[in-house]
DNA sequence: CCTACCGATCGGTAGG
DNA sequence: CCTACCGATCGGTAGG
């Protein structure tokens, strides 16, 4: 884990709160400094650019998702149960690191060239976890026919919307949301009174 | 339809292209003007603020979604078939108005107070179309048990991710995407060899 | 970590 | 629609 008390860490925390609330471009370095009781220029004793701060927040969020979900994919559980666990883990990361997750989702495109590509690779690596589980499930006949690449994209498309609408003090907790996501994505909406193996 | 050749319309087109590519805050009025071969200040003969332009783009996108989907909800078709049509219509709007859809999804939060609330109401009105269809489907026993409010949110969460990853010149066309969305959200991922009514 | 400052750019306006 | 400009603010730096 990272030291949570250094000035650098305080900067990341303040920045992710402000970025998530107002967006990266609409947040100035002086806004971040004010939050910590500092002058704008003083930040540069700890960071070397505003974009560095964004990059660090985004990469940490990507790492958090990967760290929570990747270990699950090693399990031998039935595919549908495994995917339910992955959905729960993903939702858990969003709920427990909300401002980071919002920035990850909302502002990663504001990174410049090479770093944007780096984050793109992290995002694809994460999606690949789902893609491979789906492909394996297909091979075992535990999923209906589908294109793993497109399906994993659609699935993450659904999960990635969560940071935009989740309310920490709302009526919905992480497990309720994850259960309903899993029901929707794994079982669908149709009424199915009977469901049997081939 | 709107006149597509007035300067005002050209401004909206140029702005939505730039906003969608770089974000609202990172786009200057001079960027928009340059795209039209004008000086920055000249824009203000046609618009009264940068935010006005954003608001217009966002409201038009919201209207496009509503206009495409609302008429479908009047039909007497089976719920699952109806929802499949709604998903197709939604995806069609994204694909045919991509830059507007991106701005709608990416930048609507940058609107100030009252206008943000207005757009929030439009978004909720749109979600209500899905919510009501789901509730009606439940009442008719055509859907499995679920909370219509949460489920419509999850469903739109999935659809709203599309503008962020759709590539106009990619391998996927609107119908393929819509069919796969519908399969995922209505049937789920699980292998179901038998499916019968109660 | 502050003071003081850099050049650049921002959204928007006046006057024609 | 342009020229010329407004005050404000931007990310970042020098020197201490």
């Amino acid at each position: 884990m990272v030291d949570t008390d250094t000035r650098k860490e305080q900067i990341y925390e303040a920045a992710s709160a402000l970025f998530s609330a107002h967006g990266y471009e609409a947040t100035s370095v002086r806004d971040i400094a004010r939050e910590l009781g500092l002058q704008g220029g003083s930040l540069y004793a700890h960071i070397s650019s505003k974009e560095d701060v964004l990059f660090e927040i985004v990469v940490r969020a990507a790492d958090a998702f990967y760290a929570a979900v990747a270990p699950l994919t090693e399990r031998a559980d039935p595919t549908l149960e495994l995917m339910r666990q992955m959905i729960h883990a993903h939702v858990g990361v969003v709920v427990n690191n909300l401002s980071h997750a919002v920035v990850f989702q909302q502002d990663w495109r504001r990174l410049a060239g090479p770093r944007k590509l780096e984050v793109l690779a992290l995002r694809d690596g994460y999606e690949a976890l789902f893609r491979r589980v789906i492909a394996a499930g297909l091979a075992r006949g535990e999923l209906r026919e589908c294109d793993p690449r497109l399906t994993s994209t659609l699935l993450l498309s659904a999960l990635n919307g969560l940071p935009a609408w989740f309310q920490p003090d709302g009526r919905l907790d992480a497990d309720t949301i994850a259960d309903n996501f899993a029901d929707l994505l794994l079982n669908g909406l149709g009424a199915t009174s009977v469901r049997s193996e081939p």
Side-chain angles (χ1 to χ4, degrees), chain A:
Chain A
M1 272 297 158
V2 282
D3 302 332
T4 174
D5 260 0
T6 66
R7 259 281 127 98
K8 211 164 180 176
E9 292 304 317
Q10 293 174 353
I11 291 172
Y12 294 143
E13 277 317 300
S16 76
L18 290 167
F19 291 169
S20 69
H22 310 114
Y24 171 72
E25 304 277 2
T27 302
S28 71
V29 291
R30 285 161 180 83
D31 291 333
I32 301 170
R34 190 182 310 116
E35 205 80 1
L36 302 174
L38 303 180
Q39 296 301 313
S42 304
L43 282 190
Y44 290 87
H46 305 98
I47 65 169
S48 53
S49 78
K50 185 188 171 192
E51 204 200 282
D52 279 0
V53 176
L54 173 62
F55 183 65
E56 181 70 21
I57 293 169
V58 166
V59 167
R60 285 188 186 187
D63 288 348
F65 282 114
Y66 200 91
V69 171
L72 299 175
T73 65
E74 311 290 343
R75 298 195 185 176
D77 297 335
T79 304
L80 287 177
E81 196 177 310
L82 179 54
M83 295 195 69
R84 188 172 288 268
Q85 293 165 11
M86 293 169 76
I87 290 169
H88 271 265
H90 180 100
V91 171
V93 172
V94 171
V95 167
N96 292 317
N97 310 269
L98 187 56
S99 67
H100 285 66
V102 170
V103 175
F104 177 64
Q105 194 52 31
Q106 164 185 271
D107 287 320
W108 72 276
R109 279 162 230 274
R110 256 75 257 172
L111 290 167
R115 286 168 148 181
K116 192 171 162 172
L117 289 178
E118 202 171 325
V119 171
L120 199 65
L122 289 175
R123 294 183 74 100
D124 187 66
Y126 185 61
E127 187 175 316
L129 294 175
F130 290 82
R131 203 186 305 143
R132 286 194 292 260
V133 167
I134 291 171
L138 280 173
R140 284 198 240 120
E142 293 178 23
L143 301 181
R144 66 159 171 80
E145 257 188 276
C146 71
D147 171 33
R149 171 156 238 116
L150 177 51
T151 304
S152 63
T153 298
L154 299 182
L155 204 146
L156 275 175
S157 193
L159 295 178
N160 281 336
L162 178 57
W165 59 264
F166 177 71
Q167 297 170 338
D169 36 353
R171 62 186 178 98
L172 300 165
D173 62 19
D175 278 336
T176 303
I177 291 170
D179 276 331
N180 278 275
F181 255 129
D183 288 343
L184 181 64
L185 299 169
L186 305 179
N187 301 331
L189 263 181
T192 57
S193 57
V194 175
R195 199 169 272 232
S196 63
E197 297 293 319

